[in-house]
Amino acid sequence: MREVSAVKFWILGVAVCCMAVVSATADQIQLTTGETLRGTIVEQSKEHVILNHSVLGLLNIASGDVASVSVVQAAQSEGGSEATGKLAKKPDTGVRQVPGHGSGALPGLFDMEMFENWDIRILMGLSGSDGNSQTSNIRIGLEADRADKHHRARFKSTYNYATSEGETTRNQFNAETTIDWLMPDSPWFSFVQGVYDFDEFKAWDHRVSGFAGFGYEMIMSPDVELIARTGGGVTKEFGGADDLRPEGLVSAGLLRWNVTDRQTVTGEVVFFPDLSDLERFRTIAKVDWQIKLDHQEGMKFKIGLEHEHESFTDGIKKHNDVKFYGTLVVDF
């Protein structure tokens, strides 16, 4: 059993290293919005830069949207240095925009515009022990964001699995999609949100939720973005009481706080009251601290804490679920 666990960790470790090598050897474009795109630069001129992205396909990016370009030479010079070119920066207007929009971006994945200009991240975290006690913990995730002056969209998913002495102690999956419709020259916006949860150790097996409502941008500065949401919807649980109940949603979200050039804090607090029984409710609170790694552009380390409380259980399951985690974040 221990040999099998060791093999699993070796395989996962090799996978992480391979992804790090791929990220380090790709050409990269730093946009004026602060985002980074990686791939193979096909063409570069005074008017534009064409990048072949592994997910988005060919992207035609106007030079005015580019802050810097870093090209990994096929045959590096002595010392293994990279060739880096700087383009003129545009002044920051403070307006959210999709990189490449309005600059003739070529079709991306499957020739569908909906897949273009997403900021995609993969999260990976591993820990374990073997000796007097045998434990293993795995946390993997996929996140994607896209924003322009009319829309803001985010998808995130996370899988957590843990064992202790050969017994499964955690087996969870969460996927969430949120789309905001922004109102020009107004801090108000409308939103829809869909959430799917699986948890082997809850009173239910699967939970599906859908919400809609309005939000307000309380702070939208270059370093801090703080918003609030309120709305309502329904939640359906499977594998337990199998009930369908109306729920409210009230939340405050710290989308971004740039503490320094290399450190960012994000967080969220959400309250879900049961509209059919106000004594029943659930809450979710989370905070993440993300640090850019010094020697790898596009790679970050994230430390996080998440707490979920359910006021109603089956009498056996616990009301509170707390998770601590540390993950490596790879940008694409």
Side-chain angles (χ1 to χ4, degrees):
M1 182 68 180
R2 294 180 179 177
E3 292 180 357
V4 173
S5 297
V7 170
K8 289 181 179 179
F9 280 112
W10 273 107
I11 293 174
L12 289 169
V14 170
V16 171
C17 292
C18 289
M19 293 195 67
V21 170
V22 170
S23 176
T25 57
D27 299 338
Q28 67 180 31
I29 297 176
Q30 186 76 28
L31 301 172
T32 56
T33 58
E35 297 170 287
T36 301
L37 297 174
R38 290 176 178 77
T40 302
I41 293 179
V42 178
E43 179 182 329
Q44 181 177 357
S45 66
K46 293 182 179 180
E47 291 77 24
H48 63 228
V49 179
I50 297 180
L51 179 76
N52 188 5
H53 194 280
S54 60
V55 176
L56 305 177
L58 288 174
L59 299 177
N60 188 344
I61 306 169
S63 296
D65 294 332
V66 178
S68 66
V69 176
S70 180
V71 180
V72 178
Q73 301 287 6
Q76 292 184 336
S77 60
E78 186 176 354
S81 61
E82 293 183 358
T84 303
K86 297 287 184 180
L87 299 182
K89 290 187 177 181
K90 289 177 61 178
D92 185 6
T93 61
V95 179
R96 291 184 301 268
Q97 55 182 310
V98 177
H101 254 233
S103 58
L106 298 178
L109 188 64
F110 306 127
D111 291 337
M112 296 175 64
E113 290 187 3
M114 66 176 294
F115 290 99
E116 294 180 12
N117 307 311
W118 285 84
D119 180 13
I120 301 173
R121 300 173 298 280
I122 292 179
L123 297 80
M124 299 168 289
L126 304 171
S127 66
S129 64
D130 196 0
N132 293 326
S133 63
Q134 187 178 25
T135 63
S136 64
N137 296 274
I138 299 173
R139 181 182 177 90
I140 57 176
L142 174 66
E143 297 180 353
D145 299 275
R146 178 180 178 178
D148 58 32
K149 63 181 180 180
H150 298 295
H151 307 89
R152 180 172 52 219
R154 182 178 188 186
F155 169 80
K156 56 182 179 180
S157 62
T158 307
Y159 177 67
N160 293 277
Y161 182 79
T163 64
S164 178
E165 303 299 337
E167 297 291 332
T168 300
T169 57
R170 187 182 296 275
N171 188 14
Q172 299 173 325
F173 175 77
N174 167 266
E176 177 182 316
T177 299
T178 304
I179 302 176
D180 298 334
W181 284 271
L182 308 177
M183 301 180 185
D185 304 319
S186 172
W188 291 95
F189 62 91
S190 58
F191 75 91
V192 294
Q193 183 180 91
V195 185
Y196 167 76
D197 289 291
F198 163 78
D199 196 322
E200 183 179 344
F201 296 94
K202 291 286 189 180
W204 42 265
D205 295 327
H206 308 272
R207 182 173 63 195
V208 180
S209 303
F211 301 96
F214 293 92
Y216 186 82
E217 298 174 339
M218 294 184 287
I219 302 176
M220 298 299 289
S221 70
D223 290 325
V224 179
E225 294 185 2
L226 179 65
I227 65 173
R229 303 177 191 270
T230 183
V234 294
T235 293
K236 170 68 175 176
E237 294 177 352
F238 302 88
D242 290 343
D243 61 338
L244 176 67
R245 62 180 183 273
E247 277 192 329
L249 182 152
V250 180
S251 72
L254 179 62
L255 301 183
R256 177 173 53 86
W257 173 27
N258 294 332
V259 182
T260 67
D261 291 340
R262 309 193 70 84
Q263 300 181 53
T264 302
V265 174
T266 60
E268 184 180 31
V269 178
V270 191
F271 174 61
F272 301 96
D274 186 337
L275 299 181
S276 63
D277 182 358
L278 295 181
E279 293 184 356
R280 300 176 57 174
F281 65 90
R282 57 191 180 97
T283 62
I284 297 176
K286 61 182 70 174
V287 61
D288 291 323
W289 178 28
Q290 189 168 269
I291 306 169
K292 291 183 180 180
L293 300 183
D294 290 335
H295 303 295
Q296 291 291 345
E297 285 293 336
M299 298 187 70
K300 308 176 183 70
F301 183 71
K302 178 188 287 188
I303 302 171
L305 169 65
E306 181 175 340
H307 172 263
E308 181 176 1
H309 173 80
E310 292 188 71
S311 66
F312 49 95
T313 67
D314 60 0
I316 300 176
K317 307 300 182 182
K318 296 181 179 180
H319 291 277
N320 297 288
D321 187 13
V322 180
K323 293 188 284 287
F324 306 87
Y325 49 86
T327 57
L328 180 68
V329 181
V330 182
D331 291 338
F332 287 89

